[in-house]
Amino acid sequence: MYRYDDFDRQLVLERTEQFRGQVARRLSGELTEDQFRPLRLMNGVYLQLHAYMLRVAVPYGTLSGAQLRQLGYIARKYDKGYGHFTTRQNIQYNWPKLAELPDALLDLARVEMHAIQTSGNCIRNTTTDQYAGAAADEIEDPRPYCELIRQWSTFHPEFTYLPRKFKIAVTGAPNDRAAVRVHDIGLRMHQNAEGETGFEVIVGGGLGRTPFVGKTIRDFIGKNDLFSYLEATLRVYNRFGRRDNKYKARIKILVHEIGAEEMARLVEEEWAQIKDGSLKVSDAEIAQYIAQFAPPSFETLPDDDAEFARRKVENPGFAAWVRSNVVAHKQPGYAIANVSLKPIGGIPGDATADQMERVADLADQYSFGDVRVTHEQNLVLPHVKKADLFSLWAELSNAGLATANLGYVTDIIACPGLDYCALATARSIPLSQRISERFGDLDRQHHIGELKIKISGCINACGHHHVGHIGILGLDKRGKEFYQITLGGDASENAAIGKIVGAGFSEAEVVDAIEAIVTRYLEIRDAGERFIDTYRRVGTDPFKEVLYGDR
Amino acid sequence: MAIVKHDTVIDNDWITLDAEGDLPAGDVNIIVPLDRWKAEQDSLKGRNGGVGVLLVPGDAPEDIAADLDRLALIAIRFPAYTDGRGYSYARVLRERYGFAGEIRAVGDVLRDQILNMHRCGFDAFDLKDDADTALAKVRAAMAEMTVYYQPTGDGRATAGSLRERRRAGQVG
Amino acid sequence: MSLQIVTANRLDDGLVVFMTANHGWSDDIHQAVLAEDQAHADDLLARASTRDQDIVVVGPYLIEVEASEAGIVPTKYREVLRTKGPSVRQDLGYQAGQ
Ligand code: SF4
């Protein structure tokens, strides 16, 4: 895991003091709200419906036990005892006071964390595979490159006032768990014909009002050249991205309007000018970062553990949790354990201070002090001995954190929606709670299998509804909440934007509508088909039929 | 209004001209919009006074790349501080074309953007404050951060290069 | 023309407040000053948007309300939520403490 050196530490402390000064200038009236807003946003401070909101960056979704414990402390000290993990692997606090925020940021800095660039029209926190460094299917651990991107993008003097926000995601595995095709830039590691590992550069994906799957502008860029290539891409965007209309300002619109080929040409032209400059990263430097993310000291173990096998047979609850929440690890005898933040009827992604501290302790005890945040709003203990899984599960159960629903119909992504968000047109959390309750029965969920429901409270699509197998978008129809359903979206390596199935539903109708869709799927699925497979085979018609009949 | 350059307040001895209109006497320093430079450069080049060009968002710094030895000053306008195109223009002028004259930030130039501007190659800042306030703001802004991750053409050592040096020192 | 009031968030703690008759601010919507016509509403908003107010509150705007014996209730659901706190955590809005 990357540890700050004195440079990183100094930078974050200076930033904290800078923000303290800015807050003081705001409170004294030296800065107007108009002047202060972008400064606070660049430090992760929003003004939401009820209060300020602080969004803390979890760089590439990786936390140490100590960091997660501190996040719990901050929830208790500056907030109301809880936090919300987001689809960008970050955490949000909903009730901080402006005057106290500089202290909160200082408390974050103590554990090498910050809220820098978690908002504003700049390069946001880079996200990646939550199983990085652990996944059995990984080509290479993407985190060293994510850390280099974090440093390159932090206070980039040229790219602090881009046309719009800018999100980069990286995957080091062929099974894309980081949704790289729906980011401003997606980087997919792969090997070229010479056997070198590098990155496919995908540009112009995104959700929001106008969803696009990104286009590849370069099939392969070597590791040493990645940063000059990113800089060239950002410079093209900074110069030519639209600034006349904020809804057309994302890079996806630029790529759409000029075409992927022209975009590639502009980037290549710019890159040719800077590729041999000071952004070229040497193998030696890369090696330093790879060393920072060296695997923990795994024990040499057989892959099978007799005790683990016996527990599964004896305890169906444990077996169910293993089946849904435990994933193959690259090290024999180890496993990746997902901690669901989606209890039945709960608020997706919320965790109390106690729960954060509990998971921090468990990470220290069972997972080399390593915790991950997923873009699906869950937590992960990435390196757990199979022999320890049963005790871990028992302890998670005691903390209400062992819901066995990963990837199932109740593992719902939901943005904060109108309960918290100033931009929302409808609530999303209560709807996710009702759906979760409707499908709460574990056997039923297992029977249904993988099904990703994603809910956004407005067209900004923070809840990724466009790429939900079933997506739900909350709208306002003459003062009433109203929900539009899309089908067939997919955030994986087979990325697809969902199709609107038909007229929307009222709050009272929408849960029944979801159940009707699921029931139909169960009727028509072929053996072994997931919902998304069936959808791809049959399209929307069978679902329209059950939703609208002859209408 | 005060212009701060190299840690002092300087007199503004430049006149910024519009796209059209009469030229002042030949020994007066003038800043002209890019289009006017393109249209009238033959006559402008013959003036005794200094000539500068004003770039606004949407202009291409490449258009004056061949003329830089004729220009003493390039002003880059920020119509709103949120329009960040000027940062790229300054870097291209300094780092790609080696422009060594003054690059002046004009328009919505505020304290909290000055350090970034300086990192991108601006060396003069036209603030809407009185001289003392302007100087105090520029100084405070420049002193706020001392660690830099990105290499630009500003001469500041990056964290990466300092780490490299430190490692080399340890080895040697 | 329906009734309107001015709402904003307090600068220092961010909480929801409503403009009162003396152009101060209260976290109790029932203390809000009612504008009965658009001219009055515009006038209130202008008074809420001065440089002096900018160091007291953030982002003042007008909302429509209905007033009855029972008090003042916003017409839009969004604004009802702002007076009550999150519907999913009604234990938490500052209103919960009252
Ligand atoms: S999708 Fe809309 S409602 Fe949901 S968090 Fe994003 S902006 Fe807010």
Side-chain angles (χ1 to χ4, degrees):
Chain A
M1 202 176 296
Y2 184 75
R3 294 301 311 262
Y4 280 12
D5 64 9
D6 45 333
F7 296 110
D8 303 305
R9 212 167 292 126
Q10 175 79 8
L11 177 131
V12 171
L13 283 176
E14 285 176 356
R15 174 61 156 204
T16 306
E17 285 316 298
Q18 182 187 48
F19 186 58
R20 191 181 294 282
Q22 288 165 347
V23 169
R25 283 192 280 145
R26 175 68 187 106
L27 291 171
S28 74
E30 187 186 329
L31 286 174
T32 65
E33 183 61 18
D34 283 344
Q35 291 165 344
F36 180 64
R37 186 184 307 112
L39 303 176
R40 71 165 154 80
L41 288 174
M42 227 103 43
N43 286 285
V45 181
Y46 285 75
L47 185 62
Q48 288 291 28
L49 216 47
H50 308 288
Y52 290 104
M53 185 241 327
L54 174 66
R55 180 181 294 152
V56 175
V58 179
Y60 35 93
T62 297
L63 289 169
S64 68
Q67 288 174 325
L68 182 55
R69 197 170 294 113
Q70 185 79 342
L71 292 179
Y73 169 79
I74 286 168
R76 198 172 280 123
K77 178 159 182 205
Y78 300 101
D79 207 87
K80 300 194 177 191
Y82 69 112
H84 176 75
F85 289 99
T86 77
T87 51
R88 304 223 62 252
Q89 301 181 306
N90 293 325
I91 182 169
Q92 293 177 178
Y93 296 105
N94 297 301
W95 306 93
K97 298 182 171 66
L98 182 61
E100 292 181 3
L101 278 165
D103 290 336
L105 292 180
L106 191 60
D107 279 336
L108 279 172
R110 289 184 218 282
V111 290
E112 306 180 359
M113 294 186 75
H114 59 69
I116 295 164
Q117 288 173 210
T118 55
S119 178
N121 292 335
C122 49
I123 304 169
R124 303 289 188 85
N125 186 31
T126 297
T127 53
T128 192
D129 186 352
Q130 64 269 20
Y131 302 154
D137 62 351
E138 187 167 87
I139 296 165
E140 191 179 324
D141 187 345
R143 289 173 302 163
Y145 308 97
C146 293
E147 173 56 27
L148 281 160
I149 294 173
R150 183 190 75 81
Q151 296 191 22
W152 164 78
S153 62
T154 298
F155 306 144
H156 197 299
E158 184 180 348
F159 305 135
T160 301
Y161 295 97
L162 295 167
R164 210 61 184 91
K165 58 188 166 184
F166 202 92
K167 301 173 181 176
I168 301 174
V170 190
T171 175
N175 296 302
D176 177 10
R177 289 172 287 263
V180 302
R181 288 184 194 278
V182 290
H183 281 75
D184 295 287
I185 291 181
L187 298 171
R188 183 182 71 85
M189 295 191 88
H190 68 116
Q191 283 188 342
N192 67 5
E194 285 76 53
E196 301 161 273
T197 305
F199 301 86
E200 175 186 353
V201 182
I202 301 155
V203 171
L207 301 173
R209 192 168 296 251
T210 342
F212 283 108
V213 172
K215 308 255 180 351
T216 300
I217 59 165
R218 192 172 235 275
D219 190 53
F220 187 88
I221 189 84
K223 297 167 180 177
N224 316 78
D225 294 322
L226 177 64
F227 299 91
S228 54
Y229 203 81
L230 289 175
E231 184 134 313
T233 309
L234 265 294
R235 182 170 291 161
V236 167
Y237 171 55
N238 189 42
R239 288 187 58 179
F240 303 113
R242 285 181 62 173
R243 291 177 187 261
D244 57 329
N245 177 341
K246 86 170 195 176
Y247 299 116
K248 300 197 166 169
R250 296 289 288 268
I251 197 173
K252 62 191 174 185
I253 303 293
L254 178 65
V255 174
H256 178 69
E257 286 181 352
I258 68 176
E261 271 176 32
E262 175 65 5
M263 184 71 197
R265 192 189 66 74
L266 288 172
V267 172
E268 293 288 328
E269 195 175 282
E270 179 62 37
W271 184 57
Q273 305 266 2
I274 60 173
K275 69 191 177 72
D276 297 318
S278 43
L279 276 171
K280 201 168 186 110
V281 181
S282 68
D283 288 340
E285 194 173 350
I286 292 172
Q288 300 274 349
Y289 283 84
I290 291 176
Q292 296 257 16
F293 292 95
S297 34
F298 292 121
E299 291 170 40
T300 308
L301 297 169
D303 199 35
D304 295 325
D305 182 87
E307 172 78 2
F308 169 58
R310 186 175 63 77
R311 292 289 193 181
K312 277 195 292 187
V313 174
E314 284 174 8
N315 193 319
F318 175 56
W321 179 76
V322 170
R323 177 149 59 119
S324 56
N325 289 37
V326 174
V327 175
H329 198 287
K330 61 174 150 197
Q331 178 74 17
Y334 284 81
I336 302 170
N338 283 276
V339 179
S340 171
L341 295 181
K342 316 288 177 63
I344 301 306
I347 297 178
D350 270 17
T352 64
D354 289 346
Q355 287 177 325
M356 289 185 233
E357 285 162 357
R358 197 76 206 95
V359 175
D361 291 345
L362 294 172
D364 286 345
Q365 195 180 344
Y366 295 113
S367 180
F368 298 93
D370 194 340
V371 193
R372 309 293 171 79
V373 182
T374 82
H375 86 268
E376 294 181 323
Q377 302 178 286
N378 294 309
L379 299 176
V380 177
L381 301 181
H383 310 296
V384 183
K385 260 192 264 180
K386 284 183 178 171
D388 287 339
L389 281 170
F390 183 75
S391 339
L392 171 65
W393 172 76
E395 301 208 41
L396 286 171
S397 300
N398 289 337
L401 290 166
T403 313
N405 61 350
L406 199 88
Y408 291 140
V409 56
T410 61
D411 183 10
I412 298 168
I413 291 184
C415 78
L418 192 51
D419 281 299
Y420 293 97
C421 177
L423 303 171
T425 41
R427 289 175 299 164
S428 26
I429 296 169
L431 178 56
S432 74
Q433 292 173 306
R434 298 297 89 74
I435 295 172
S436 172
E437 283 159 355
R438 180 73 62 95
F439 292 98
D441 180 72
L442 202 59
D443 291 336
R444 188 174 179 202
Q445 291 185 55
H446 284 209
H447 177 62
I448 295 165
E450 183 186 302
L451 206 181
K452 303 200 177 204
I453 296 184
K454 308 191 180 192
I455 309 175
S456 304
C458 83
I459 192 69
N460 288 327
C462 303
H464 294 188
H465 66 276
H466 295 298
V467 289
H469 298 164
I470 299 177
I472 304 175
L473 166 62
L475 296 167
D476 175 307
K477 193 176 176 190
R478 283 177 300 249
K480 290 252 171 4
E481 291 165 301
F482 180 75
Y483 296 91
Q484 196 174 66
I485 297 177
T486 52
L487 295 178
D490 187 348
S492 77
E493 60 281 4
N494 304 311
I497 304 296
K499 291 208 170 47
I500 296 172
V501 69
F505 297 89
S506 71
E507 192 196 351
E509 298 163 335
V510 64
V511 180
D512 288 339
I514 300 299
E515 190 168 30
I517 291 168
V518 173
T519 306
R520 188 75 222 236
Y521 150 66
L522 292 175
E523 287 162 9
I524 60 178
R525 75 171 165 191
D526 285 346
E529 268 185 350
R530 300 168 305 160
F531 177 87
I532 187 73
D533 304 322
T534 303
Y535 172 82
R536 290 206 173 116
R537 177 168 57 79
V538 303
T540 41
D541 284 350
F543 302 104
K544 273 194 178 139
E545 251 169 56
V546 292
L547 289 177
Y548 306 107
D550 293 334
R551 262 200 285 163
Chain B
M1 301 288 282
I3 298 167
V4 180
K5 182 181 181 184
H6 302 161
D7 207 38
T8 51
V9 175
I10 59 167
D11 292 333
N12 185 14
D13 42 18
W14 293 80
I15 295 178
T16 303
L17 302 183
D18 292 331
E20 285 166 31
D22 295 338
L23 294 173
D27 54 356
V28 175
N29 297 329
I30 56 169
I31 301 172
V32 298
L34 176 63
D35 283 344
R36 186 156 187 183
W37 169 257
K38 286 200 244 177
E40 299 174 28
Q41 56 174 294
D42 289 342
S43 62
L44 292 172
K45 278 176 184 164
R47 288 173 65 85
N48 292 329
V51 180
V53 166
L54 172 71
L55 296 181
V56 300
D59 286 347
E62 290 81 2
D63 288 356
I64 47 171
D67 311 328
L68 291 177
D69 52 350
R70 300 291 189 141
L71 300 173
L73 180 151
I74 295 166
I76 298 178
R77 186 188 300 287
F78 292 82
Y81 70 86
T82 47
D83 188 328
R85 283 176 275 192
Y87 296 92
S88 289
Y89 300 165
R91 287 197 69 190
V92 167
L93 289 168
R94 281 275 188 249
E95 297 171 41
R96 183 160 310 158
Y97 301 120
F99 180 65
E102 176 177 324
I103 300 186
R104 180 181 293 187
V106 301
D108 197 14
V109 181
L110 303 172
R111 171 197 153 145
D112 292 286
Q113 285 78 45
I114 284 171
L115 178 60
N116 281 347
M117 289 178 176
H118 191 262
R119 295 217 59 215
C120 288
F122 290 90
D123 58 351
F125 308 95
D126 189 351
L127 278 80
K128 293 190 178 61
D129 300 284
D130 62 65
D132 289 347
T133 312
L135 185 59
K137 281 188 177 178
V138 173
R139 283 183 175 163
M142 299 281 251
E144 259 167 0
M145 305 294 294
T146 62
V147 180
Y148 313 99
Y149 284 135
Q150 308 77 10
T152 63
D154 66 347
R156 288 177 172 89
T158 62
S161 66
L162 293 170
R163 285 169 179 148
E164 203 57 46
R165 235 178 269 170
R166 190 181 281 174
R167 272 196 295 275
Q170 278 168 358
V171 175
Chain C
M1 182 75 229
S2 52
L3 298 167
Q4 296 183 73
I5 62 174
V6 179
T7 183
N9 292 71
R10 205 149 48 199
L11 174 66
D12 57 359
D13 60 10
L15 297 184
V16 175
V17 288
F18 305 93
M19 195 181 200
T20 59
N22 60 2
H23 308 135
W25 299 89
S26 169
D27 54 22
D28 177 4
I29 191 172
H30 306 302
Q31 305 297 317
V33 54
L34 291 163
E36 310 211 337
D37 56 45
Q38 194 58 40
H40 188 197
D42 291 343
D43 177 60
L44 286 179
L45 185 60
R47 286 170 192 278
S49 310
T50 61
R51 193 69 205 251
D52 284 348
Q53 293 282 16
D54 190 58
I55 56 170
V56 182
V57 293
V58 179
Y61 62 98
L62 292 163
I63 59 171
E64 290 185 6
V65 295
E66 278 160 15
S68 69
E69 306 279 279
I72 298 174
V73 182
T75 54
K76 280 222 175 95
Y77 186 64
R78 174 186 200 273
E79 298 304 328
V80 173
L81 272 180
R82 282 180 80 246
T83 69
K84 289 189 175 165
S87 73
V88 292
R89 291 300 298 266
Q90 296 227 322
D91 52 322
L92 287 182
Y94 68 84
Q95 303 83 350
Q98 288 176 355

